[in-house]
Each structure stands twice: as C-alpha cells, then as structure tokens.
Amino acid sequence: MRREMQEILPGLFLGPYSSAMKSKLPILQKHGITHVICIRQNIEANFIKPNFQQLFRYLVLDIADNPIENIIRFFPTTKEFIDGSLQTGGKVLVHGNAGISRSAALVIAYIMETFGVKYRDAFTYVQERRFCINPNAGFVHQLQEYEAIYLAKLTIQMMSPRQLERSLSVSTGSLKRTHEEDEEIANMQAAAQNG
C-alpha cells in the first residue's frame, strides 16, 4: 500500500514517486490522472522527475523534507493547481519521494483550507486513506500555524464589504464614518437648518 497511490478526495490522489514511474503509466491512465504535483529537492531531481510531460500537466516544487523548510509558501500555489484541475474534471496525483511527509503536508493543507477544518481533523482524514503519512515535526508545526491564517482568510471572505469595512476601521482605530452615517448626519444638519 505504501508503494501505491491512494485517492484522498474524489480526483485527488497521494502517493510515492514509485506510483508515477514510467512503468505505472497504465495505472495512472486507468485512474484518469491529468495533473501531477511532483515534489523534490534539487539533489533528487535526477531520479524524481516528471515522466509524462506530454500527457499530464505538471507542477514541480522544490521542497526539502527538512523541519526548517518553509512549506507554507507552497500552499497557495498547490491549492490553485489542484482546484484548477478538479474544476475542469481532471484528477491530480501529489507525490514526493515516499508520499509520507512533504506531499502529505501539502494534501493536509489543501483539505484544511478547502473544507475549513483544523489540522488534527485533516491529518486524521488523510491518514485513514494513506496510513503511512508522517509529516516531519517542522511541517506539523507550520500546518498548525496555518490554521489561524486560513481561518482568518475564510472569515474575511465570508464578510460583506460593509462588515469588512467596519472591521478594518475598528481594528485600525480609525474614526472613519460609513457613507450611511455621513448621509444621516447631513440629513440631521439639513433638518436643523430648516427647522
């Protein structure tokens, strides 16, 4: 099972590089893979590489499986690539070398942000489908930090423009009035002058 890819969400697969090797093309095609996220660091580029550039669309990310590696910076690009594939009816394979740490961290981040769930829940969800995942301690810490980032982003996206404006003016300590308040004051002043 470790050497094969697993479907984590409909159309989103996670696996090791061995599931994307040249000999596995019939399996990739059977599952309908159209997009591949290939995660490697420079020293792995000779043996972890896009094998089917004429058949699949690739996103190649240079990420070291190192606890001090900044993996958060890759979350937006990964989400955009996966969403773009799924929205056009495609299917994506995310793989690193073993499909255990880097690729798992990116899939967990995708699930966290897409469904608004916490790290622990997203981790459990992915692990139930690919039992061997084990993001390194640095990635786990960054995923936990990311919770606050995407939850704040989701909150802002759900706010109406007026709620957002009020929130921003309150948080900056500004005394800026809204257009409605300006109109109300102008009407009160007009009434006072006419009265």
PDB file of all heavy atoms in Angstrom, residues 137-154:
ATOM      1  N   ALA A 137       8.212  17.119  11.931  1.00  0.00           N
ATOM      2  CA  ALA A 137       7.754  17.978  13.035  1.00  0.00           C
ATOM      3  C   ALA A 137       7.635  19.444  12.617  1.00  0.00           C
ATOM      4  O   ALA A 137       6.714  20.148  13.034  1.00  0.00           O
ATOM      5  CB  ALA A 137       8.696  17.847  14.220  1.00  0.00           C
ATOM      6  N   GLY A 138       8.565  19.917  11.792  1.00  0.00           N
ATOM      7  CA  GLY A 138       8.511  21.305  11.326  1.00  0.00           C
ATOM      8  C   GLY A 138       7.287  21.558  10.468  1.00  0.00           C
ATOM      9  O   GLY A 138       6.634  22.599  10.578  1.00  0.00           O
ATOM     10  N   PHE A 139       6.933  20.606   9.611  1.00  0.00           N
ATOM     11  CA  PHE A 139       5.749  20.748   8.761  1.00  0.00           C
ATOM     12  C   PHE A 139       4.480  20.725   9.606  1.00  0.00           C
ATOM     13  O   PHE A 139       3.545  21.486   9.367  1.00  0.00           O
ATOM     14  CB  PHE A 139       5.690  19.632   7.707  1.00  0.00           C
ATOM     15  CG  PHE A 139       6.774  19.695   6.662  1.00  0.00           C
ATOM     16  CD1 PHE A 139       6.952  18.658   5.779  1.00  0.00           C
ATOM     17  CD2 PHE A 139       7.627  20.793   6.551  1.00  0.00           C
ATOM     18  CE1 PHE A 139       7.937  18.694   4.794  1.00  0.00           C
ATOM     19  CE2 PHE A 139       8.628  20.845   5.584  1.00  0.00           C
ATOM     20  CZ  PHE A 139       8.777  19.794   4.700  1.00  0.00           C
ATOM     21  N   VAL A 140       4.441  19.849  10.604  1.00  0.00           N
ATOM     22  CA  VAL A 140       3.281  19.774  11.502  1.00  0.00           C
ATOM     23  C   VAL A 140       3.083  21.122  12.184  1.00  0.00           C
ATOM     24  O   VAL A 140       1.964  21.652  12.235  1.00  0.00           O
ATOM     25  CB  VAL A 140       3.441  18.645  12.547  1.00  0.00           C
ATOM     26  CG1 VAL A 140       2.365  18.737  13.631  1.00  0.00           C
ATOM     27  CG2 VAL A 140       3.424  17.285  11.869  1.00  0.00           C
ATOM     28  N   HIS A 141       4.168  21.693  12.691  1.00  0.00           N
ATOM     29  CA  HIS A 141       4.083  22.996  13.363  1.00  0.00           C
ATOM     30  C   HIS A 141       3.545  24.059  12.400  1.00  0.00           C
ATOM     31  O   HIS A 141       2.690  24.875  12.761  1.00  0.00           O
ATOM     32  CB  HIS A 141       5.464  23.386  13.901  1.00  0.00           C
ATOM     33  CG  HIS A 141       5.467  24.665  14.672  1.00  0.00           C
ATOM     34  ND1 HIS A 141       4.854  24.795  15.902  1.00  0.00           N
ATOM     35  CD2 HIS A 141       5.979  25.891  14.370  1.00  0.00           C
ATOM     36  CE1 HIS A 141       4.999  26.038  16.328  1.00  0.00           C
ATOM     37  NE2 HIS A 141       5.674  26.719  15.415  1.00  0.00           N
ATOM     38  N   GLN A 142       4.041  24.058  11.164  1.00  0.00           N
ATOM     39  CA  GLN A 142       3.585  25.049  10.176  1.00  0.00           C
ATOM     40  C   GLN A 142       2.115  24.835   9.805  1.00  0.00           C
ATOM     41  O   GLN A 142       1.371  25.801   9.619  1.00  0.00           O
ATOM     42  CB  GLN A 142       4.454  24.992   8.922  1.00  0.00           C
ATOM     43  CG  GLN A 142       5.856  25.543   9.164  1.00  0.00           C
ATOM     44  CD  GLN A 142       6.720  25.408   7.926  1.00  0.00           C
ATOM     45  OE1 GLN A 142       6.469  26.057   6.918  1.00  0.00           O
ATOM     46  NE2 GLN A 142       7.732  24.547   8.001  1.00  0.00           N
ATOM     47  N   LEU A 143       1.699  23.584   9.709  1.00  0.00           N
ATOM     48  CA  LEU A 143       0.286  23.297   9.418  1.00  0.00           C
ATOM     49  C   LEU A 143      -0.601  23.808  10.555  1.00  0.00           C
ATOM     50  O   LEU A 143      -1.675  24.362  10.322  1.00  0.00           O
ATOM     51  CB  LEU A 143       0.068  21.800   9.206  1.00  0.00           C
ATOM     52  CG  LEU A 143       0.567  21.269   7.860  1.00  0.00           C
ATOM     53  CD1 LEU A 143       0.750  19.757   7.912  1.00  0.00           C
ATOM     54  CD2 LEU A 143      -0.376  21.652   6.734  1.00  0.00           C
ATOM     55  N   GLN A 144      -0.139  23.641  11.796  1.00  0.00           N
ATOM     56  CA  GLN A 144      -0.904  24.149  12.945  1.00  0.00           C
ATOM     57  C   GLN A 144      -0.957  25.675  12.922  1.00  0.00           C
ATOM     58  O   GLN A 144      -1.983  26.267  13.237  1.00  0.00           O
ATOM     59  CB  GLN A 144      -0.302  23.625  14.250  1.00  0.00           C
ATOM     60  CG  GLN A 144      -0.534  22.129  14.411  1.00  0.00           C
ATOM     61  CD  GLN A 144       0.302  21.499  15.515  1.00  0.00           C
ATOM     62  OE1 GLN A 144       1.385  21.981  15.856  1.00  0.00           O
ATOM     63  NE2 GLN A 144      -0.172  20.392  16.054  1.00  0.00           N
ATOM     64  N   GLU A 145       0.145  26.317  12.533  1.00  0.00           N
ATOM     65  CA  GLU A 145       0.155  27.778  12.397  1.00  0.00           C
ATOM     66  C   GLU A 145      -0.773  28.223  11.267  1.00  0.00           C
ATOM     67  O   GLU A 145      -1.421  29.253  11.351  1.00  0.00           O
ATOM     68  CB  GLU A 145       1.570  28.284  12.076  1.00  0.00           C
ATOM     69  CG  GLU A 145       2.516  28.316  13.241  1.00  0.00           C
ATOM     70  CD  GLU A 145       3.904  28.825  12.836  1.00  0.00           C
ATOM     71  OE1 GLU A 145       4.162  29.032  11.630  1.00  0.00           O
ATOM     72  OE2 GLU A 145       4.721  29.021  13.741  1.00  0.00           O
ATOM     73  N   TYR A 146      -0.815  27.434  10.213  1.00  0.00           N
ATOM     74  CA  TYR A 146      -1.616  27.779   9.033  1.00  0.00           C
ATOM     75  C   TYR A 146      -3.103  27.822   9.355  1.00  0.00           C
ATOM     76  O   TYR A 146      -3.857  28.554   8.714  1.00  0.00           O
ATOM     77  CB  TYR A 146      -1.332  26.766   7.917  1.00  0.00           C
ATOM     78  CG  TYR A 146      -1.866  27.190   6.571  1.00  0.00           C
ATOM     79  CD1 TYR A 146      -1.438  28.362   5.968  1.00  0.00           C
ATOM     80  CD2 TYR A 146      -2.789  26.406   5.888  1.00  0.00           C
ATOM     81  CE1 TYR A 146      -1.912  28.745   4.731  1.00  0.00           C
ATOM     82  CE2 TYR A 146      -3.263  26.780   4.647  1.00  0.00           C
ATOM     83  CZ  TYR A 146      -2.821  27.952   4.077  1.00  0.00           C
ATOM     84  OH  TYR A 146      -3.303  28.332   2.842  1.00  0.00           O
ATOM     85  N   GLU A 147      -3.520  27.050  10.362  1.00  0.00           N
ATOM     86  CA  GLU A 147      -4.921  27.048  10.797  1.00  0.00           C
ATOM     87  C   GLU A 147      -5.431  28.471  10.998  1.00  0.00           C
ATOM     88  O   GLU A 147      -6.468  28.845  10.472  1.00  0.00           O
ATOM     89  CB  GLU A 147      -5.014  26.303  12.132  1.00  0.00           C
ATOM     90  CG  GLU A 147      -5.936  25.152  12.135  1.00  0.00           C
ATOM     91  CD  GLU A 147      -5.867  24.384  13.447  1.00  0.00           C
ATOM     92  OE1 GLU A 147      -6.242  24.943  14.496  1.00  0.00           O
ATOM     93  OE2 GLU A 147      -5.442  23.215  13.409  1.00  0.00           O
ATOM     94  N   ALA A 148      -4.684  29.258  11.764  1.00  0.00           N
ATOM     95  CA  ALA A 148      -5.096  30.634  12.056  1.00  0.00           C
ATOM     96  C   ALA A 148      -5.120  31.488  10.789  1.00  0.00           C
ATOM     97  O   ALA A 148      -6.002  32.328  10.617  1.00  0.00           O
ATOM     98  CB  ALA A 148      -4.156  31.259  13.085  1.00  0.00           C
ATOM     99  N   ILE A 149      -4.178  31.249   9.889  1.00  0.00           N
ATOM    100  CA  ILE A 149      -4.087  32.040   8.658  1.00  0.00           C
ATOM    101  C   ILE A 149      -5.309  31.803   7.772  1.00  0.00           C
ATOM    102  O   ILE A 149      -5.987  32.747   7.363  1.00  0.00           O
ATOM    103  CB  ILE A 149      -2.787  31.697   7.886  1.00  0.00           C
ATOM    104  CG1 ILE A 149      -1.555  32.088   8.714  1.00  0.00           C
ATOM    105  CG2 ILE A 149      -2.766  32.364   6.509  1.00  0.00           C
ATOM    106  CD1 ILE A 149      -0.238  31.525   8.193  1.00  0.00           C
ATOM    107  N   TYR A 150      -5.605  30.537   7.467  1.00  0.00           N
ATOM    108  CA  TYR A 150      -6.703  30.299   6.538  1.00  0.00           C
ATOM    109  C   TYR A 150      -8.053  30.540   7.193  1.00  0.00           C
ATOM    110  O   TYR A 150      -8.997  30.953   6.534  1.00  0.00           O
ATOM    111  CB  TYR A 150      -6.632  28.908   5.882  1.00  0.00           C
ATOM    112  CG  TYR A 150      -7.117  27.792   6.742  1.00  0.00           C
ATOM    113  CD1 TYR A 150      -8.465  27.525   6.903  1.00  0.00           C
ATOM    114  CD2 TYR A 150      -6.216  27.002   7.433  1.00  0.00           C
ATOM    115  CE1 TYR A 150      -8.899  26.518   7.721  1.00  0.00           C
ATOM    116  CE2 TYR A 150      -6.652  25.990   8.249  1.00  0.00           C
ATOM    117  CZ  TYR A 150      -7.994  25.752   8.390  1.00  0.00           C
ATOM    118  OH  TYR A 150      -8.433  24.758   9.219  1.00  0.00           O
ATOM    119  N   LEU A 151      -8.167  30.331   8.513  1.00  0.00           N
ATOM    120  CA  LEU A 151      -9.441  30.622   9.182  1.00  0.00           C
ATOM    121  C   LEU A 151      -9.736  32.117   9.140  1.00  0.00           C
ATOM    122  O   LEU A 151     -10.872  32.528   8.911  1.00  0.00           O
ATOM    123  CB  LEU A 151      -9.447  30.094  10.624  1.00  0.00           C
ATOM    124  CG  LEU A 151      -9.559  28.570  10.760  1.00  0.00           C
ATOM    125  CD1 LEU A 151      -9.398  28.144  12.205  1.00  0.00           C
ATOM    126  CD2 LEU A 151     -10.886  28.051  10.194  1.00  0.00           C
ATOM    127  N   ALA A 152      -8.701  32.946   9.311  1.00  0.00           N
ATOM    128  CA  ALA A 152      -8.880  34.394   9.202  1.00  0.00           C
ATOM    129  C   ALA A 152      -9.282  34.758   7.777  1.00  0.00           C
ATOM    130  O   ALA A 152     -10.168  35.591   7.559  1.00  0.00           O
ATOM    131  CB  ALA A 152      -7.597  35.123   9.595  1.00  0.00           C
ATOM    132  N   LYS A 153      -8.647  34.118   6.805  1.00  0.00           N
ATOM    133  CA  LYS A 153      -8.951  34.385   5.396  1.00  0.00           C
ATOM    134  C   LYS A 153     -10.399  33.992   5.093  1.00  0.00           C
ATOM    135  O   LYS A 153     -11.122  34.733   4.425  1.00  0.00           O
ATOM    136  CB  LYS A 153      -7.975  33.607   4.512  1.00  0.00           C
ATOM    137  CG  LYS A 153      -7.845  34.141   3.110  1.00  0.00           C
ATOM    138  CD  LYS A 153      -6.579  33.647   2.438  1.00  0.00           C
ATOM    139  CE  LYS A 153      -6.832  32.330   1.767  1.00  0.00           C
ATOM    140  NZ  LYS A 153      -5.700  31.815   1.014  1.00  0.00           N
ATOM    141  N   LEU A 154     -10.839  32.843   5.597  1.00  0.00           N
ATOM    142  CA  LEU A 154     -12.216  32.401   5.377  1.00  0.00           C
ATOM    143  C   LEU A 154     -13.205  33.371   6.008  1.00  0.00           C
ATOM    144  O   LEU A 154     -14.235  33.687   5.415  1.00  0.00           O
ATOM    145  CB  LEU A 154     -12.434  31.008   5.978  1.00  0.00           C
ATOM    146  CG  LEU A 154     -11.893  29.819   5.193  1.00  0.00           C
ATOM    147  CD1 LEU A 154     -12.094  28.525   5.983  1.00  0.00           C
ATOM    148  CD2 LEU A 154     -12.569  29.699   3.837  1.00  0.00           C
TER     149      LEU A 154
END
